[in-house]
C-alpha cells in the first residue's frame, strides 16, 4: 500500500503521524508537543526546521537566508560524457584548480567501441585534467559513477553535486543533486548553487519487504504513485519510519537511486547501525553520524509505504511511472498491453513504424526477448547475489532470450567471484560484463527491432535502449527487479514474478576489498600541478563563441512538440551520440533527431541569419521574407526604430513540458550552438533542464494555454533585456505571420545571477565578463 497525504503532515518522535489540521486543533487546545520558536515564527515554521533536509541545507548554505539558498557542496562527480565539456567551460571561465574533491569516472563511454579513438581520447583528457587541476580519476571498467561515490565519497550530512541525473546518495545520509554541467562549473569557480528552499516530503516506511521483493519493486511502487501528479516535483524526499531499518544499506541504495524518476530535487534517509556498518566496511567509519528528524518535524506532504504489501512490479514502456504488479499484468495481459500500444502510438511519430506488444503473448503468457541487470540500480552486490541464487542449477535457455549482468564496480565483481555467484550465472547462460552504464542509456545491449527487454536499470524512455525510429527500428524496455528478471530467465523468458521462486535465501555478508581502487584510481585531490598540460584528441572542441542577448529578439519557431512530456533523450539522444559529447557542433547535429528530424536544418538556417547580422550583413539579404516581418514590427507602437540589424534573431522550440530525465546539459547547449535563443513551455519538467536552458543563454519562457503559432512563424519580443531586469510575469510578445497577433509570455522567478547569465549570452560569457572586471 502506498498512500499520499492530501496536505502537510507532522511527524512526532519519528513514528506518530499527525495531519496538519489535527495539529492545529491540538495547538489551539494547548495539547501540541512543545517547540522552541524563534523570532515570532509560527509553530509550523519552527517544525519545518525539524527535518534532516533543513539541517543539511543550513549547514551548506552561505546566503544567510534559508528562503533563498546558496549552496556549496562537499564533493562533485561526473562521467565521461559530461566531464570534458564541464572542464572546458570552467577552464574558459578562469578555473585554475579543483577547489573541492571532483571525481571523474569513465563508465558511459567505457567500451571505446564507437567513433574510433574518440572515447579513449576523452578518458586521456580526463586523467590529464585530474593531474593539472587536482582531481580523482576512476578508469574505465573500475566502477560506475554512483557506486564509486557510495563506496568512497558519500557520508552522513554531506552534499554532493553530480552531472548525472541519478546522483542520489540519500541512503548514506548524503543529500545529492544531479544537475547540468553549468552548475558544476559554478562550484569549480567557487560560486554557488542557487535555489529557493525546497519543499520536503516525508516517505514514511513501515513493515518489511517480502523476501521476493527487491529495491526496484519498492521504487517502482513509489514512482507509480507520485510521478503523474507531481507530488514530489522539485522537492526533497526524506525517508523516515521504522521500515527503513528493515532493509540493509545496499538495498536502500537501490531504492534511493530511483527517486530521480519521481522528479524530486534530492533525497535523504534516516541513518542507523547498518549505515554505520556500511561506511565502516568501506573504510570510512568517521563519515557516520546518526541522523533522524527532530522530535517534531513538519513535512509538506507524506508518502506512506507499507513495505510488506509491495509485490513484484513492472514498469511498462515508456516511462518508469507506467507501473503494474506483475501478477496484475499477467492476469490482464491483452487489455494492459493494448493500452500501452495505444499510448505508444501517440509517442511514435512515424507512420512506417507499428509498435506492438500483444504479439509477444504466447499461450496466454508474455514472452520477453532480453534481460539486463546493470548499473547503479541493478548491478549492486545483493541484487546480483539474489539473481545468481535463483538461476543456480537452471538455464536461461538456448532460444532468443538472453541475459546480461554488469556488476556495478570491480570491488563488487571481486566478491561475486569469490562467492561463486559469477560462475552460477555463467553456467546458467548469462553473460557477465564489467562495470558499465551503457544498457541504461542505449550504448549496450540494444534489443533487436520490436524486441522487448526487461531491465533492472534506471529508465525505459522511448528509444533510450538504443533503437532508431528514423531507420524504422523500434524496441522497448520494461523495468523490473533483478529477482523477477532472474525468475523470468529461469523460465526461458516467460514473464515470471520472483514470488514463484522464493525460498528464504539470505544473502551472505559482503566483503569489500579496496585493493582495486588503491591500485588503479588516480587520487589527485589537493595535488594540482599547473605545469601539466591537458591532452586533447581531435574530437575535443572548444565551445563556439556566443553573443550577448540583444535588446529586442525575433524568434523563429523551429519545432513544436505537443506531447505531454518531452524527455532529454528526445531533445538530444543518448547512446550513439556519446562519442560526440566533447564536440559541441558535432553533437548538435543530433538535436531532436528522434523526435523532429527537420529541426536541425531549420535552426541552422536561422543561425545563418544571426551570424550574418553580427558580421555586419543585413540578414534580409539572405531571407527576403524578413522584409515583411520587420515592416509589421515597425507598425507596432514604440517599435518604429527596430530594424533587422538591431534585433537579435534566434530559433525557438515549443514543448509542453520539456526536460524530463537526464541532467545532461547538452539537451540545451545543442540548441544554443546552432541558433537556439529560447524555449517556450507550459511548464518545465525539471529544475535541472530549466537551469541548463539559462546557463546556455536561452530564455525559459512560459505560456499559458495552447500555442497559437506554428513551425515557421516568427515571435517578436521587444525590450527583453529590460524585462529581465524587472517584472517578468506579463511579457508582451507578437506572432508575426500574414498578420500580427499579440500574446503574453512570462518567465518564472530567476536569481539575479541567472538573469545576468542569460543577458551575457551564456555562463562562459558571464564568467569571462566577471574576470575582465576584476
Amino acid at each position: 500500500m502506498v498512500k499520499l497525504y492530501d496536505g502537510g503532515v507532522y511527524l512526532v518522535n519519528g513514528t506518530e503521524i499527525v495531519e496538519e489540521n489535527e495539529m492545529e486543533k491540538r495547538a489551539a487546545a494547548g495539547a501540541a508537543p512543545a517547540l522552541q520558536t524563534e523570532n515570532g515564527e509560527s509553530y509550523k515554521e519552527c517544525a519545518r526546521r525539524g527535518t534532516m533536509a533543513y539541517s543539511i541545507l543550513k549547514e551548506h548554505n552561505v546566503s544567510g537566508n534559508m528562503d533563498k539558498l546558496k549552496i556549496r557542496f562537499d564533493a562533485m562527480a561526473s562521467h565521461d560524457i559530461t566531464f570534458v565539456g564541464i572542464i572546458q567551460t570552467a577552464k574558459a571561465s578562469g578555473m585554475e584548480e579543483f577547489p573541492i574533491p571532483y571525481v571523474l569516472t569513465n563508465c558511459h563511454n567505457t567500451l571505446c567501441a564507437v567513433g574510433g579513438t574518440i572515447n579513449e581520447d576523452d578518458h586521456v583528457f580526463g586523467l590529464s585534467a585530474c593531474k593539472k587541476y587536482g582531481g580523482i580519476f576512476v578508469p574505465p571498467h573500475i566502477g560506475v559513477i554512483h557506486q564509486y561515490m557510495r563506496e568512497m565519497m558519500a557520508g552522513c550530512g554531506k552534499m554532493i553535486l553530480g552531472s548525472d541525473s541519478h546522483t542520489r546518495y540519500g541512503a548514506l545520509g548524503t543529500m545529492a543533486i544531479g544537475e547540468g554541467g553549468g552548475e558544476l562549473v559554478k562550484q569549480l569557480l567557487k560560486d554557488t548553487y542557487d535555489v529557493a528552499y525546497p519543499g520536503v516530503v516525508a516517505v514514511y516506511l513501515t513493515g518489511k519487504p517480502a523476501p521476493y521483493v527487491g529495491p526496484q519493486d519498492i521504487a517502482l511502487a513509489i514512482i507509480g504513485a507520485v510521478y503523474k501528479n507531481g507530488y514530489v516535483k522539485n522537492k526533497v524526499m526524506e525517508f523516515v519510519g521504522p521500515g527503513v531499518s528493515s532493509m540493509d544499506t545496499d538495498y536502500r541504495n537501490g531504492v534511493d537511486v530511483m527517486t530521480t524518476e519521481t522528479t524530486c530535487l534530492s533525497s535523504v534517509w534516516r541513518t542507523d547501525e547498518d549505515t554505520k556498518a556500511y561506511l565502516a566496511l568501506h573504510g570510512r567509519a568517521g563519515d557516520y553520524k546518526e541522523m533522524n528528524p527532530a522530535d517534531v518535524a513538519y513535512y509538506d506532504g507524506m508518502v506512506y509505504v507499507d513495505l510488506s504489501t509491495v509485490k513484484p512490479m513492472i514498469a511498462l514502456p515508456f516511462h518508469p511511472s507506467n507501473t503494474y504488479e506483475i501478477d496484475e499484468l499477467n492476469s490482464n495481459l491483452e487489455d494492459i498491453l493494448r493500452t500501452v500500444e495505444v499510448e505508444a502510438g501517440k509517442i511514435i511519430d512515424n507512420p512506417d513504424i507499428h509498435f506492438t506488444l500483444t504479439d509477444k503473448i504466447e499461450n496466454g503468457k508474455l514472452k520477453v526477448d532480453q534481460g539486463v541487470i546493470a548499473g547503479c540500480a541493478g548491478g549492486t552486490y545483493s541484487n546480483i547475489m539474489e539473481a545468481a541464487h535463483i538461476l543456480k542449477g537452471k538455464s536461461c535457455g538456448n532460444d532468443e532470450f538472453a541475459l546480461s549482468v554488469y556488476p556495478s564496480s570491480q570491488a563488487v565483481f571481486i566478491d561475486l567471484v569469490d562467492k561463486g555467484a559469477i560462475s552460477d550465472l555463467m553456467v546458467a547462460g548469462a553473460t557477465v560484463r564489467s562495470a558499465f552504464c551503457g544498457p541504461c542509456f542505449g550504448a549496450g545491449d540494444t534489443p533487436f527491432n520490436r524486441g522487448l527487454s526487461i531491465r533492472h536499470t534506471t529508465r525505459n524512455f522511448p528509444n533510450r535502449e538504443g533503437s532508431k525510429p528514423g531507420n524504422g527500428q523500434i524496441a522497448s524496455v520494461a523495468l523490473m527487479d533483478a529477482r523477477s528478471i532472474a525468475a523470468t530467465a529461469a523460465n526461458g523468458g516467460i514473464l515470471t514474478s520472483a514470488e514463484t521462486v522464493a525460498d528464504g535465501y539470505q544473502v551472505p555478508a559482503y566483503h569489500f576489498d579496496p585493493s582495486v581502487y588503491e591500485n588503479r584510481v588516480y587520487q589527485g585531490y589537493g595535488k594540482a600541478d599547473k605545469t601539466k598540460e591537458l591532452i586533447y584528441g581531435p574530437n575535443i572542441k572548444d565551445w563556439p563563441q556566443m553573443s550577448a542577448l540583444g535588446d529586442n529578439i525575433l524568434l523563429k519557431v523551429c519545432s513544436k512538440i505537443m506531447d505531454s512530456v518531452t524527455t532529454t533523450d528526445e531533445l538530444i539522444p543518448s547512446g550513439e551520440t556519446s562519442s560526440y559529447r566533447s564536440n559541441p557542433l558535432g553533437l548538435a547535429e543530433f538535436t531532436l533527431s528522434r523526435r523532429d528530424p527537420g529541426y536541425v536544418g531549420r535552426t541552422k538556417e536561422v543561425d545563418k541569419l544571426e551570424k550574418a547580422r553580427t558580421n555586419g550583413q543585413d540578414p534580409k539579404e539572405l531571407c527576403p521574407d524578413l522584409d515583411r516581418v520587420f515592416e509589421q514590427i515597425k507598425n507596432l507602437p514604440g517599435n518604429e526604430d527596430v530594424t533587422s540589424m538591431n534585433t537579435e534573431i534566434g530559433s525557438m522550440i515549443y514543448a509542453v513540458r520539456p526536460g524530463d530525465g537526464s541532467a545532461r546539459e547538452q539537451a540545451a547547449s545543442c540548441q544554443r550552438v546552432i541558433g537556439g535563443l529560447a524555449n517556450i513551455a507550459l511548464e518545465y519538467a525539471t529544475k535541472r533542464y530549466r537551469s541548463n536552458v539559462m546557463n546556455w543563454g536561452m530564455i525559459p519562457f512560459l505560456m499559458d494555454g495552447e500555442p497559437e503559432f506554428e513551425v515557421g512563424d516568427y515571435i517578436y519580443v521587444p525590450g527583453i533585456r529590460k524585462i529581465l531586469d524587472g517584472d517578468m510575469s506579463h511579457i508582451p510578445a507578437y506572432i508575426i505571420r500574414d498578420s500580427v497577433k499579440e500574446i503574453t509570455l512570462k518567465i518564472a522567478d530567476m536569481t539575479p545571477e541567472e538573469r545576468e547569465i542569460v543577458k551575457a549570452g551564456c555562463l562562459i560569457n558571464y564568467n569571462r565578463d566577471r574576470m575582465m572586471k576584476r
Side-chain angles (χ1 to χ4, degrees):
M1 178 189 73
V2 180
K3 171 187 174 183
L4 307 183
Y5 281 74
D6 290 334
V9 170
Y10 290 83
L11 185 64
V12 181
N13 297 322
T15 56
E16 184 186 359
I17 300 166
V18 183
E19 295 188 59
E20 185 172 353
N21 56 358
E22 172 61 23
M23 188 62 85
E24 289 173 353
K25 294 176 183 177
R26 293 188 189 183
L35 285 177
Q36 189 66 45
T37 58
E38 299 176 359
N39 302 319
E41 66 183 351
S42 68
Y43 189 89
K44 184 194 332 189
E45 290 169 336
C46 182
R48 280 186 189 277
R49 294 191 278 110
T51 65
M52 294 179 286
Y54 183 93
S55 298
I56 296 173
L57 289 168
K58 183 178 181 181
E59 181 69 22
H60 292 81
N61 178 39
V62 298
S63 73
N65 179 353
M66 286 298 290
D67 292 328
K68 296 185 181 297
L69 304 174
K70 288 183 174 293
I71 300 297
R72 288 211 170 104
F73 290 84
D74 298 300
M76 299 199 306
S78 293
H79 51 64
D80 51 346
I81 57 175
T82 58
F83 65 60
V84 175
I86 291 166
I87 293 167
Q88 287 282 74
T89 303
K91 171 178 171 282
S93 302
M95 178 197 66
E96 296 183 352
E97 184 175 348
F98 296 159
I100 58 176
Y102 186 19
V103 177
L104 309 185
T105 66
N106 295 269
C107 53
H108 279 58
N109 278 339
T110 309
L111 298 182
C112 303
V114 180
T117 64
I118 289 173
N119 295 349
E120 186 62 12
D121 285 347
D122 288 350
H123 300 163
V124 171
F125 175 91
L127 178 57
S128 71
C130 286
K131 292 178 178 178
K132 183 177 183 65
Y133 298 120
I136 301 166
F137 183 82
V138 183
H141 306 283
I142 299 299
V144 302
I145 178 172
H146 304 310
Q147 184 66 14
Y148 182 84
M149 296 303 287
R150 292 165 184 159
E151 292 174 351
M152 305 306 294
M153 300 297 293
C156 301
K158 291 185 179 182
M159 290 194 73
I160 292 177
L161 181 66
S163 58
D164 183 272
S165 57
H166 291 98
T167 304
R168 292 285 187 271
Y169 317 122
L172 295 165
T174 298
M175 276 187 65
I177 298 175
E179 281 283 357
E183 295 303 322
L184 280 79
V185 170
K186 293 175 185 176
Q187 295 291 310
L188 292 175
L189 299 175
K190 301 181 183 180
D191 288 333
T192 56
Y193 176 76
D194 301 343
V195 63
Y197 185 81
V200 182
V201 172
V203 183
Y204 187 88
L205 304 180
T206 188
K208 179 180 180 179
Y212 47 83
V213 167
Q216 189 82 324
D217 298 317
I218 305 297
L220 293 179
I222 295 171
I223 294 164
V226 304
Y227 172 78
K228 291 174 183 175
N229 59 11
Y231 192 79
V232 296
K233 181 179 177 181
N234 295 331
K235 296 180 173 67
V236 177
M237 297 176 74
E238 185 157 306
F239 287 76
V240 295
V244 169
S245 295
S246 72
M247 303 173 283
D248 66 28
T249 302
D250 198 52
Y251 193 113
R252 297 174 208 173
N253 284 332
V255 178
D256 184 61
V257 72
M258 291 298 293
T259 60
T260 294
E261 304 312 319
T262 68
T263 70
C264 72
L265 178 71
S266 187
S267 62
V268 65
W269 295 53
R270 71 173 188 84
T271 63
D272 58 13
E273 288 299 309
D274 196 81
T275 323
K276 183 177 182 180
Y278 182 97
L279 291 168
L281 177 66
H282 291 87
R284 297 190 293 113
D287 284 336
Y288 175 75
K289 66 178 179 181
E290 184 178 346
M291 292 172 51
N292 281 295
D295 291 344
V296 180
Y298 176 82
Y299 294 95
D300 297 286
M302 177 175 281
V303 182
Y304 183 96
V305 184
D306 183 348
L307 297 169
S308 66
T309 66
V310 177
K311 303 267 285 179
M313 302 289 293
I314 184 170
L316 291 170
F318 285 105
H319 198 276
S321 64
N322 193 18
T323 55
Y324 298 87
E325 292 181 353
I326 292 176
D327 288 346
E328 176 191 6
L329 173 63
N330 281 333
S331 297
N332 302 276
L333 261 183
E334 287 211 24
D335 290 344
I336 292 174
L337 294 183
R338 288 194 192 284
T339 299
V340 176
E341 290 173 346
V342 169
E343 290 303 309
K346 300 174 184 177
I347 296 170
I348 301 168
D349 190 18
N350 186 337
D352 296 327
I353 292 178
H354 179 57
F355 175 78
T356 61
L357 287 176
T358 50
D359 63 335
K360 298 189 178 300
I361 300 175
E362 296 183 5
N363 300 318
K365 297 180 179 180
L366 180 63
K367 178 74 179 291
V368 300
D369 305 299
Q370 181 194 67
V372 178
I373 301 170
C376 55
T380 61
Y381 169 77
S382 57
N383 284 336
I384 297 177
M385 287 294 294
E386 291 270 14
H389 172 75
I390 291 168
L391 279 166
K392 186 172 183 177
K394 300 182 177 66
S395 169
C396 297
N398 56 8
D399 206 341
E400 291 171 348
F401 180 84
L403 174 65
S404 57
V405 179
Y406 297 74
S408 55
S409 71
Q410 286 286 68
V412 169
F413 205 149
I414 289 168
D415 202 38
L416 292 170
V417 169
D418 290 345
K419 298 284 200 318
I422 296 300
S423 59
D424 289 341
L425 287 165
M426 295 177 75
V427 168
T431 56
V432 182
R433 327 284 177 81
S434 60
F436 182 36
C437 298
C440 293
F441 70 97
D445 290 294
T446 303
F448 60 78
N449 184 44
R450 295 174 67 178
L452 173 63
S453 178
I454 52 173
R455 301 188 174 193
H456 193 158
T457 56
T458 54
R459 288 202 174 116
N460 60 338
F461 292 169
N463 311 310
R464 187 175 174 89
E465 81 299 317
S467 60
K468 296 181 180 180
N471 296 340
Q473 184 195 33
I474 186 70
S476 59
V477 166
L479 299 181
M480 288 169 52
D481 187 82
R483 293 149 188 79
S484 291
I485 292 174
T488 299
N491 201 12
I494 300 298
L495 186 71
T496 305
S497 165
E499 186 173 3
T500 64
V501 296
D503 61 3
Y505 171 70
Q506 295 292 316
V507 175
Y510 173 59
H511 172 69
F512 173 72
D513 182 352
S515 300
V516 65
Y517 295 149
E518 294 167 356
N519 292 330
R520 282 297 293 142
V521 174
Y522 176 79
Q523 296 287 347
Y525 177 62
K527 304 173 186 175
D529 185 349
K530 296 179 182 178
T531 67
K532 297 291 185 181
E533 296 294 331
L534 295 174
I535 301 176
Y536 289 83
N539 193 59
I540 298 176
K541 306 294 186 184
D542 290 328
W543 291 102
Q545 188 171 356
M546 285 158 272
S547 58
L549 182 67
D551 292 325
N552 309 306
I553 58 173
L554 181 66
L555 305 172
K556 189 166 188 179
V557 183
C558 285
S559 188
K560 180 182 176 183
I561 303 172
M562 298 303 295
D563 301 343
S564 59
V565 176
T566 302
T567 69
T568 47
D569 279 8
E570 292 171 295
L571 292 165
I572 183 65
S574 55
E576 81 272 19
T577 67
S578 296
S579 293
Y580 300 93
R581 295 292 173 87
S582 305
N583 183 341
L585 292 175
L587 181 64
E589 294 291 330
F590 294 88
T591 312
L592 281 177
S593 58
R594 290 180 181 166
R595 186 60 188 83
D596 184 358
Y599 166 77
V600 169
R602 292 191 287 267
T603 187
K604 288 173 76 172
E605 288 301 312
V606 178
D607 194 38
K608 288 179 184 177
L609 301 180
E610 178 59 15
K611 282 184 166 60
R613 186 187 75 85
T614 56
N615 288 327
Q617 180 184 4
D618 193 330
K620 291 191 292 187
E621 296 175 12
L622 301 178
C623 181
D625 193 43
L626 290 178
D627 278 319
R628 171 187 58 82
V629 171
F630 278 97
E631 282 302 316
Q632 290 171 302
I633 291 173
K634 285 185 176 184
N635 291 329
L636 297 171
N639 288 273
E640 297 82 2
D641 297 329
V642 171
T643 71
S644 56
M645 292 300 292
N646 63 18
T647 302
E648 184 175 6
I649 304 172
S651 68
M652 182 275 289
I653 287 175
Y654 176 87
V656 179
R657 291 179 180 84
D660 187 22
S662 172
R664 68 178 74 111
E665 63 182 296
Q666 293 92 347
S669 66
C670 283
Q671 298 172 47
R672 180 67 169 134
V673 299
I674 51 174
L677 192 52
N679 280 194
I680 299 179
L682 177 66
E683 66 175 317
Y684 290 89
T686 58
K687 175 202 171 294
R688 55 184 174 265
Y689 176 69
R690 183 174 183 267
S691 294
N692 288 337
V693 168
M694 295 184 289
N695 282 331
W696 284 103
M698 295 193 294
I699 305 165
F701 287 120
L702 293 167
M703 185 180 70
D704 296 327
E706 293 279 322
E708 300 180 62
F709 45 78
E710 301 296 337
V711 171
D713 289 345
Y714 291 92
I715 298 176
Y716 174 63
V717 187
I720 186 62
R721 287 184 70 92
K722 291 181 179 178
I723 288 168
L724 287 173
D725 286 329
D727 180 16
M728 303 184 294
S729 63
H730 188 93
I731 302 172
Y734 303 89
I735 302 172
I736 310 291
R737 46 165 84 101
D738 294 333
S739 58
V740 177
K741 180 174 180 59
E742 182 172 352
I743 60 174
T744 300
L745 303 175
K746 59 185 176 181
I747 302 173
D749 188 39
M750 297 167 66
T751 67
E753 291 83 2
E754 288 168 341
R755 296 178 192 232
E756 294 303 316
I757 289 167
V758 172
K759 287 195 291 183
C762 65
L763 181 62
I764 295 174
N765 292 356
Y766 169 75
N767 288 322
R768 187 179 293 137
D769 293 345
R770 288 197 302 167
M771 291 290 292
M772 292 176 63
K773 292 175 183 177
R774 289 176 181 171

